Amino acid sequence: MTDGTRRSLHGVAELLLAGPQYRATGKIRLRVTPGGFGTVLEPDLRVAGTELVVGERRISLPGRTFAEVAADAGIEAGAPEGVYADGSGVAPGETIDLDPATTGEILAAYAAGDAALRAFAPGVEPVLWPEHFDVAVTVDEINYGVSPGDGYLGEPYAYVGPHRPRRGPFWTAPFGAARPLRELPDIAGFFAAGRAAAA
C-alpha cells in the first residue's frame, strides 16, 4: 500500500470535495460512487479512478497540485475550516501523487465497504467522512465501517467501534475490532459478528 496515494486521495476528499461542498452548503459528508467517491450536495463533484469529474468534464489528478486542479474545476481548494481538528494535513500547493494500482485498491475497498454496510444496515445511508477518510454507519451507538488504511493498520480494513468499550476475544483493536479486508470474505458478516459480540 502506497501511503502517498492514500494521503493524496484523502487530500482530494478534503480539499476538492468536502471543502467546496462545506463552503456552499455547510455539510461535509461525502458518498461512495461508482468507481470512486463524491459530494452529496452542490457542487456536484466526484472522483472516478484518477480523475475528478465535474459535470461532463474529466480532469486528470496525478502530477498536478490541488490548487491547479481546483482552478481547472472552477472551485477553491481547501479543507472545511473549523469543523474538525484532524485530517490529511494536505495543503493546496502539494502535488497529487496517485499510483493507479493503489488507487484502484482503495476505491475497490470503498465499493465493497459501501455494499456491505447497505446489506448490514439497509435503513442507514453510509457516509464517507473526509476527516478520517472512512465509509461508515452508526447503529445503536456502534460505528461500523471500512478504512483505506491509516496509522493503526496500513491497508484497507473493516472495523467495529462501540461508543462504549467492550472486552472479549472479538475486540482486538484499541477502538474495538478491526480486520484487514484481504482476510474478510464476508464484510457484512464481520459487522454482524461485531453487533452480536457487543450485545
Side-chain angles (χ1 to χ4, degrees), residues 29-123:
R29 54 180 59 199
L30 304 175
R31 63 191 172 100
V32 174
T33 58
F37 53 90
T39 55
V40 297
L41 300 167
E42 295 298 321
D44 183 13
L45 305 163
R46 66 185 174 87
V47 169
T50 58
E51 296 176 315
L52 179 68
V53 181
V54 186
E56 299 299 312
R57 297 181 59 218
R58 300 177 80 91
I59 302 170
S60 182
L61 293 165
R64 307 179 71 200
T65 68
F66 293 90
E68 288 170 345
V69 171
D72 203 357
I75 56 175
E76 177 190 352
E81 289 292 330
V83 183
Y84 51 81
D86 49 358
S88 68
V90 172
E94 290 186 36
T95 299
I96 299 170
D97 172 23
L98 297 180
D99 171 71
T102 304
T103 298
E105 182 182 348
I106 290 172
L107 298 181
Y110 283 140
D114 186 75
L117 289 166
R118 291 177 187 278
F120 169 71

Side-chain angles (χ1 to χ4, degrees), residues 152 165 172-177:
Y152 171 73
T172 57
F175 49 81

Side-chain angles (χ1 to χ4, degrees), residues 98-170:
L98 297 180
D99 171 71
T102 304
T103 298
E105 182 182 348
I106 290 172
L107 298 181
Y110 283 140
D114 186 75
L117 289 166
R118 291 177 187 278
F120 169 71
V124 185
E125 188 71 18
V127 175
L128 179 65
W129 292 105
E131 66 269 46
H132 299 131
F133 203 38
D134 58 345
V135 59
V137 300
T138 301
V139 180
D140 297 329
E141 297 191 336
I142 300 174
N143 300 327
Y144 302 89
V146 166
S147 167
D150 52 28
Y152 171 73
L153 184 60
E155 63 178 292
Y157 67 88
Y159 66 85
V160 179
H163 294 190
R164 290 182 297 104
R166 305 296 206 274
R167 295 180 182 272
F170 186 83

